Amino acid sequence: MQVQETPSTTRALVSHQNSVIHEAPTRDDNLLYHPSGMDSYPDEKGLPYSYDGRPHLKRNPYRPFTKVWWNRAVEKGMWPRIIYGLIGFCLIGVWVGCMLMFAQNEVKAQRHNLQGDPQTRANRTANQFVMKGTLKIFDPVQRTLTVSWGLNYVDLDNSTLQPLGDQENASFPVNIYRDVRVIWERRPLDIFANQTIQSLGIYPPMLRIDNVTAPPVAVLGVHSWDGFDTDIDFTQAKEGDPWMQPLFGYPFDLWTGSIILAATDRGYAEAVNLTNTYAFPIDGAVLADSTLNWRITLKSNNTCNYGGEFEGCELHIDFSGRRPILVKFAAILAVVVNWTSTIGIFLLTCEAVIMRRVHILTETDILGVCFTALFALPSVRAILPGAPDFGAVLDLIGVIPNVSAGSFLYDFRLITLFRTDHHHLDLHDHDGNLQAENPEAKKGGIMDNYSEDHNALTLEKLNFRRSLFVGARTFVV
């Protein structure tokens, strides 16, 4: 056995069955720590070694997540990378979760439109007629909503809707009219004295369309695929509210539109040879599908009331259009990004120009940052979903002031550059250390003989401040 003594520890190496055994030395200030938590001691060269005799790095001995521990961890680079990697994955997870929530919200809205409003759905009974609309497109510039309509009936379970005309060898032709009124049938009914009409069991009509010459917009019920398209005009839902004005109040604009539909029995009307008669009620309406970047909903009202005062027998459908939560989220996020960028550029320019922080001037291209912002900030607005033409409230709040501030800061920095002599300018940094941009001035002893040239430096500072003032005044004028 060989023994080698050191000033602080005694190391004993014993060979037993091809093994190396270390005697426990006395702990002192030279004690180092193994990354795995095992003790390790320095050799004669002061380097740490492990039980197998190979040198290794010292474990961070400080309290975890303190400032000193973090600075030590940054040198090694493992924990900081793990932490910011986890933060990045968490942000990605949060973003994906938000998008899934928005998608689920859209699916929920579609399901609500397809089922109809709860009150109408609760009053459905078998063999009632329901108009089913399919959203096709909404044009905010023309302010029109295109909907494709079909006629359905309620199945025997009082909830399922089936397309009219789906049964083989059976059809029920129905005339559909738009924007009309249903009134009492007052025309002569001599036709019902005909024995042929009486043998068919056709009862006299009670209701008809007010305009007997109005042609139907469609004939439904002959086939299950019968349908027709309508263009509904949309207007502002709330007058006098700029935040809900169409397009101008993006993304909080609220739209509204309406349509009136009425139906007559085509077969009975042809049998008695009377136009636009035998009107009957349509009990409700539902919507299917959706439009991109828009949330369209409807409320239907069947005005038929045989027990009380007669007010017609039409189906009134009121539409409401607004932006979905995804569009509102994106617009608010764009405003926050624009203002955050503008405030950052403002602070950077003021600290560099007014506070004369030289390290910002030397390490950051202030002109490049301000000039890039003039094009970057409006481009954020251009990628917003469903963004209208320029001139909305969003532009007055989150685009125009940001671009104006960026232009002002760019011109202010440019003027100060034109009116400042950088070859003889000595400045102080934020720590109070004198900085000289002129190398020849440093060689001449300005930094070494600061007390001798104090008056000259003070004059240079006054000239610099005067140039800033003149530059700002020139820009304002």
Side-chain angles (χ1 to χ4, degrees), residues 76-319:
K76 190 174 182 181
M78 181 183 68
W79 277 108
R81 290 190 178 96
I82 293 176
I83 292 176
Y84 72 66
L86 291 176
I87 293 176
F89 280 114
C90 290
L91 293 177
I92 294 175
V94 170
W95 183 262
V96 173
C98 291
M99 297 302 106
L100 293 178
M101 182 190 68
F102 294 147
Q104 187 64 26
N105 184 266
E106 184 66 25
V107 173
K108 183 178 179 181
Q110 293 183 23
R111 187 183 302 114
H112 177 77
N113 283 342
L114 189 59
Q115 294 175 352
D117 56 275
Q119 183 178 1
T120 304
R121 185 170 64 249
N123 296 329
R124 286 178 186 169
T125 58
N127 299 324
Q128 285 185 341
F129 293 99
V130 177
M131 297 296 299
K132 182 178 180 179
T134 302
L135 295 172
K136 299 184 69 175
I137 187 174
F138 177 66
D139 188 351
V141 178
Q142 299 294 332
R143 300 192 177 191
T144 57
L145 173 67
T146 303
V147 183
S148 179
W149 296 98
L151 186 59
N152 290 26
Y153 67 93
V154 182
D155 209 345
L156 297 178
D157 59 358
N158 298 333
S159 59
T160 306
L161 299 180
Q162 300 291 347
L164 191 64
D166 62 333
Q167 298 180 1
E168 187 177 0
N169 299 326
S171 63
F172 180 56
V174 176
N175 288 338
I176 301 296
Y177 301 85
R178 175 181 176 178
D179 297 334
V180 295
R181 181 175 173 82
V182 175
I183 61 176
W184 293 108
E185 178 62 85
R186 303 296 186 185
R187 288 177 290 182
L189 303 178
D190 298 338
I191 187 66
F192 290 95
N194 191 318
Q195 295 182 355
T196 303
I197 298 298
Q198 293 178 0
S199 63
L200 294 177
I202 300 177
Y203 59 88
M206 297 178 57
L207 304 173
R208 69 172 176 88
I209 305 300
D210 58 347
N211 185 0
V212 295
T213 61
V217 296
V219 178
L220 305 179
V222 180
H223 310 94
S224 59
W225 56 83
D226 292 339
F228 65 99
D229 294 344
T230 57
D231 292 333
I232 300 115
D233 294 332
F234 269 48
T235 59
Q236 184 176 357
K238 292 185 178 181
E239 298 292 339
D241 190 348
W243 294 100
M244 294 186 178
Q245 184 176 344
L247 296 182
F248 181 75
Y250 174 88
F252 304 103
D253 45 345
L254 184 61
W255 306 62
T256 184
S258 62
I259 188 175
I260 299 176
L261 298 178
T264 62
D265 189 328
R266 184 182 179 89
Y268 275 22
E270 290 179 348
V272 300
N273 196 25
L274 289 176
T275 59
N276 300 347
T277 190
Y278 285 100
F280 63 90
I282 304 177
D283 297 282
V286 295
L287 274 180
D289 213 335
S290 62
T291 55
L292 182 64
N293 299 327
W294 287 98
R295 179 69 51 79
I296 307 296
T297 58
L298 65 77
K299 290 184 178 180
S300 60
N301 178 31
N302 179 18
T303 61
C304 287
N305 184 12
Y306 299 104
E309 183 179 356
F310 182 76
E311 298 180 355
C313 193
E314 312 92 20
L315 179 65
H316 292 247
I317 305 176
D318 297 324
F319 292 89

